Amino acid sequence: MAYRIIDHPADFGLQVTAADLPALFAEAVHALFDVLVEVRIPAAATVSFPLEVVGDDWPDLMVNWLREVLYQWTGEERLIRSVEILSISEYALAARLFYEPYDPDRHAVLEEIKAVTYHQIRVAPSPAGWEARVVFDI
């Protein structure tokens, strides 16, 4: 996983890099859940569901994507384990997400995140391929 935590006065952020856009959006989810939850005992199997989001541009698409994924955690108690990007354009993303249900006996919550913000959002090409910078409200 290619990400690092960004220091921020009241919140925290992630900077994610990947070779291409599908990998960037998938890695952003992996980085988010790596910060949110420690998996003590993995589930034997995962369940999947489709997810589609839209946005006005790459940064807006990233914020909307991560907001939907964060809702899966906070609203549905789904711990996303892997992501398959089915299609992506500057205005829409379709994916299949694989998750295991949250179980306090198998998972430890590391961080509480209230929201994905537009503050300092960035999604752009980089020397390594693509890079995203996202700040979260904690």
Side-chain angles (χ1 to χ4, degrees):
M1 211 176 321
Y3 79 92
R4 69 179 178 90
I5 295 175
I6 301 167
D7 290 329
H8 197 274
D11 303 319
F12 93 93
L14 293 172
Q15 184 169 330
V16 182
T17 57
D20 56 32
L21 281 163
L24 182 71
F25 279 76
E27 288 300 323
V29 172
H30 295 137
L32 176 60
F33 277 90
D34 195 44
V35 171
L36 284 173
V37 182
E38 175 187 359
V39 178
R40 293 181 182 144
I41 304 167
T46 58
V47 182
S48 72
F49 67 97
L51 183 63
E52 295 182 9
V53 295
V54 296
D56 293 333
D57 53 23
W58 293 122
D60 189 46
L61 188 64
M62 179 64 78
V63 169
N64 292 341
W65 167 242
L66 292 176
R67 282 180 174 169
E68 287 293 327
V69 169
L70 183 60
Y71 170 76
Q72 294 303 316
W73 169 245
T74 60
E76 302 294 330
E77 295 189 337
R78 293 175 172 174
L79 172 59
I80 306 302
R81 302 294 284 148
S82 65
V83 176
E84 178 185 357
I85 303 296
L86 303 173
S87 66
I88 188 168
S89 73
E90 192 169 7
Y91 307 106
L93 181 151
R96 177 157 297 283
L97 284 75
F98 298 83
Y99 73 95
E100 59 184 86
Y102 170 68
D103 179 346
D105 293 331
R106 294 184 301 111
H107 308 118
V109 176
L110 302 174
E111 187 70 61
E112 295 287 338
I113 295 177
K114 290 189 255 180
V116 183
T117 73
Y118 283 98
H119 181 68
Q120 297 181 344
I121 183 70
R122 183 173 187 273
V123 177
S126 74
W130 281 83
E131 181 178 276
R133 177 185 178 99
V134 184
V135 175
F136 301 90
D137 182 19
I138 53 174

